[in-house]
Structure formats: C-alpha cells, structure tokens
C-alpha cells in the first residue's frame, strides 16, 4: 500500500512535491467503504483523483514514478556504467539534484526508500524500515564529492553480504538493485522493497494498457469469466469470448510433431521453457479474440469500438490489481470512457466487496461529474497547477477545508475556488486578429 510519494526537480516539478494516500482523521464520511484501516493512528485511502488543466504536470507526477521504478528494477542489470540516468531536470531554474522518495507498506512492514541523483550518478540512497513502531535505519549510501567515492552507513538490522554488494554497485545503479541481482531469494531482506516496485506498483499513461494480459486471461476459463463479468458490468453487450489459438497450437505441433489434445497445457509448459522470449511474445500477440454478442454474432476484437477495446485491455489489470492488492496509477482515466463508467471503475476500488486486499487507485482526470461527496471523500481529491515560475504544484482539497455534505465541490472547482483550472484568452474570429 502506498502511503506517500515525494519528488523534486523532475521535468515540470522543481521544488519537492508531496502526494499521499493518508486519511484526514477528522473526516468520518465513507469510513466503512473508502478507506483501508492501517493503524490506530493512520488509515489509508483506497482511491484518489487528481484534477488540473492540461500541461499542469499531472502526467509528470506519473512519469516520475515510472522513472523511479525503472531505476529500481533495471539500474544494476540493464544500465551501462557510462549510461546517463533517465531524468530531465526542471529547465527554468538553476539545476539542482533530482530526488524520489516513497513510503509504502509491504508484508505489514512500513518502508521509506529514497534516492538523490543527477544524470551521471546516484548521489544518495537510503532505506528505513518500521517492523514495529520504532524506525530502523537499514542503510545510507552517500557520494563523497571530495574523495570521489561512496560511503555506506548501516544500522544493526540489515544482514547479508553487504561488502560484496557495495563493491558491485555501479555509480549509476542502486545498492538495492545490485543486492537483489546478486542474491535474489527470500532470505534477502531487501526483496520485499524490490518486489513492491516489481509486482505491486503498476502505472499506465494516457495510451492505456496493452491487451496482451487480457488475452492471456482469456486462455484460462476462470479468468475469462472474470473478464466477461467485468465487461458486462461496464455495460458491454457480450455473452462469451472465443479464443483462437490455432497459430499457437500449430507452432507447438510443428516443433514436437505431436497432436495437441488434452495435454496442451502440459505441452505448453514444456515448450515455453524452450522458446525464446521473442517467440513467446509473438505467441501472445498471435492470440485472436472474438466477442460473442447477445444476438449470437461473433465480432473480432479489432472490430469493436475504441472504448470497448480499451476497456478489454484495462479489464485484466483492474481485476489483478483488486485481487492482488496492487497500487494502480492511471493517467487520464476519462479518456474514451463515459462519465458513468469512470464512476463505476472508481466505485470498484472503493467497494469493500470488490476491494478486499488493500488495492489502491490513483488517477488523473478531467471528468468532474465524480467530483462530489457522494463518490469521494473530501481527502480523496487532489489538484495540480502551475506556480509563477511554471513549475508544478500539487495540493489536496483538504487545504480548503470544504464542509461535509454541504459544499458542492464540482461547482466550487469549476468556479475557480481551488485553482487548477485552465486559463484561456478570448478568441477573436476576425482574420486580422489572427494575423496580429
């Protein structure tokens, strides 16, 4: 579960911006549905909406988290030692170092993990754990500019071959990632942190998800039923999904020269171990999907509307996030979706029956019809706007102390009370005005 995320000096973000999923203790509405009970002192939100005009930095917040995740997962294995780190500092002020920090819960332990970096190297890296109410500093890594070397400081809690991990860590790689690369097993205390980035954190930009996971879901009857139920709940006219895997069967048949029958699953398991990653990815793309509609007519997936295709791609990720308690970031959730569908998708995360495993949804949107207290708590709404120096600022609705069950939040937002609205100059249709 995500508690808080901080970022500074990344693209349109200059000064440190903080976003969190912490409930305001004085807000008591929807406490049985929209919140996750964490500790006696702190509860967390199941979903949060971020509003703001185009070019205000909403997507930048998501992109910064994607870059943070990329550095965690790949810096020790896929970054050449001379490769520049994938950051873009704020352009309109004197450059400072970029920083990322995330506070999250994994396996009932709270962690604070942060890094400071420039394009050339990691300058600082630190990890603090809370297996109990008291913090434990597991390690701090600092670059000593004077001696051109790294210094490490450890608490009494982190075990493992720390000296070997130190010597193997490149200047543009994380100590955390290197330790996992050298010892990727359950005995590594750092595995929960790495695995949270790898398996629990999912984000997608405005282009949406690839449909490959949903296609794979349709290969399994139980998962396919969940896809169909999800689409039906969203109002899609569908009775069944046909899966055409003839190319897949033919490839397995050609390789082993055996008939594919009841043993297809066992054969696939064996053959996938022999196939290259490229061939496996090609097989996934070769899966053909047909929708069976209520009138009995079968239509190919590519013949469906853009909204239906996008919803099909979303379905597996939505279901998996709810089933596995993931943190799901979505940019422009309203794109291609009707306002009622956006509300339905948000309601699924807020619903205590659908969301039983602490899943969280953070999404940016321009859809204001859900900007009301019947759908969201007052602390589930955030805004994104620009400062005078064109840098991004992120702030919660709770800063304005809106009144419970009284204030019309949508009207107040559209009237400009909370800021984060686009500014348009008046448009003249006279040709000479356009010329000028």
């Amino acid at each position: 579960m995500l508690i808080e995320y901080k970022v500074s000096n990344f693209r349109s973000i200059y000064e440190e911006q903080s976003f969190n999923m912490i409930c305001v203790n004085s807000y008591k509405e929807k406490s049985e549905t929209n919140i996750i009970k964490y500790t006696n002192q702190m509860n967390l939100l199941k979903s949060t909406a971020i509003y703001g005009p185009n070019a205000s930095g909403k997507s930048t917040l998501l992109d910064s988290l994607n870059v943070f995740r990329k550095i965690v997962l790949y810096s020790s294995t896929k970054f050449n030692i001379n490769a520049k780190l994938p950051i873009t500092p704020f352009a309109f002020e004197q450059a400072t170092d970029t920083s990322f920090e995330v506070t999250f819960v994994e396996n009932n332990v709270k962690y604070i993990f942060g890094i400071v970096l420039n394009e050339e190297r990691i300058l600082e890296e630190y990890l603090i754990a809370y297996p109990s109410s008291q913090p434990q500093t597991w390690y701090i890594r600092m670059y000593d500019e004077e001696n051109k070397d790294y210094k490490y400081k450890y608490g009494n809690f982190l075990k493992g071959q720390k000296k070997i991990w130190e010597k193997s860590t490149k200047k543009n790689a994380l100590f955390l990632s290197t330790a996992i690369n050298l010892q990727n097993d359950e005995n590594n205390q750092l595995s929960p942190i790495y695995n949270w980035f790898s398996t629990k954190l999912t984000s997608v930009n405005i282009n949406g998800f690839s449909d490959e996971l949903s296609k794979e879901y349709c290969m399994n009857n139980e998962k396919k039923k969940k896809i169909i139920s999800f689409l039906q709940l969203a109002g899609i006219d569908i009775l069944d999904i046909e899966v055409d895997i003839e190319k897949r069967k033919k490839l397995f048949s050609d390789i082993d020269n055996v008939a594919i029958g009841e043993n297809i699953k066992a054969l696939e398991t064996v053959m996938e171990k022999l196939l290259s990653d490229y061939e496996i990815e090609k097989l996934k793309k070769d899966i053909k999907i047909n929708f069976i509609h209520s009138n009995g007519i079968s239509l190919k997936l590519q013949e469906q509307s853009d909204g239906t295709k996008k919803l099909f791609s979303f379905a597996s990720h939505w279901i998996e996030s709810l089933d596995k308690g993931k943190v799901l970031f979505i940019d422009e959730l309203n794109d291609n979706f009707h306002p009622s569908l956006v509300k339905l998708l948000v309601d699924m995360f807020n619903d205590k029956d659908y969301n039983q495993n602490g899943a969280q949804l953070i999404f940016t949107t321009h859809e204001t019809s859900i900007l009301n207290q019947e759908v969201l708590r007052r602390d589930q709404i955030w805004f994104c706007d620009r400062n005078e120096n064109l840098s991004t600022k992120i702030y919660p609705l709770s800063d304005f102390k809106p009144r419970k069950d009284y204030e019309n939040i949508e009207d107040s937002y559209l009237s400009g009370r909370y800021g984060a609205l686009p500014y348009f100059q008046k448009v003249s249709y006279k040709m000479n005005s356009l010329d000028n």
Side-chain angles (χ1 to χ4, degrees), residues 206-223:
I206 193 171
N207 296 320
F209 291 103
S210 162
D211 63 11
E212 291 179 10
L213 181 61
S214 290
K215 287 181 177 180
E216 286 188 58
Y217 261 52
C218 291
M219 300 285 288
N220 177 290
N221 283 334
E222 290 304 314
K223 290 183 176 181

Side-chain angles (χ1 to χ4, degrees), residues 17 21 29 80-81 98-99 103 146 154 190 237 239 254 333 373 406 430 435:
Q17 298 299 307
M21 297 290 284
E29 65 264 34
N80 181 284
I81 193 170
T98 296
S99 68
T103 304
E146 182 178 347
Y154 299 101
L190 301 176
D237 175 35
L239 289 180
D254 290 345
L333 180 60
Q373 298 188 44
Y406 179 81
K430 296 179 180 179
D435 291 340

Side-chain angles (χ1 to χ4, degrees), residues 42 53 131 150 186 190 195 211 233 286 329 331 382:
M42 182 189 298
Y150 285 95
E186 60 183 13
L190 301 176
N195 290 342
D211 63 11
L233 187 65
D286 283 341
F329 276 78
D331 195 17
W382 284 65

Side-chain angles (χ1 to χ4, degrees), residues 114-151:
I115 61 176
V116 180
L117 67 159
N118 57 31
E119 292 179 321
E120 302 297 328
R121 65 172 63 247
I122 304 297
L123 299 170
E124 183 179 350
E125 179 182 354
Y126 52 92
L127 175 62
I128 302 169
Y130 289 78
S132 64
S133 60
Q134 298 302 312
Q136 298 178 354
T137 298
W138 282 14
Y139 72 86
I140 300 174
R141 173 194 179 198
M142 296 282 293
Y143 182 66
D144 186 340
E145 181 65 39
E146 182 178 347
N147 295 316
K148 306 297 181 185
D149 199 6
Y150 285 95
K151 292 183 178 180

Side-chain angles (χ1 to χ4, degrees), residues 67-117:
V67 167
F68 189 14
R69 182 175 184 269
K70 181 179 180 180
I71 293 171
V72 170
L73 298 184
Y74 306 121
S75 62
S76 73
T77 55
K78 295 187 178 181
F79 289 12
N80 181 284
I81 193 170
N82 295 316
K84 290 191 174 184
L85 288 160
I87 59 170
T88 303
F90 183 68
F92 302 136
E93 298 281 355
Q94 185 175 354
T96 59
D97 301 325
T98 296
S99 68
F100 305 111
E101 181 187 278
V102 64
T103 304
F104 63 94
V105 179
E106 180 69 355
N107 298 335
N108 296 317
V109 177
K110 184 174 81 170
Y111 297 98
I112 300 175
F113 178 66
I115 61 176
V116 180
L117 67 159

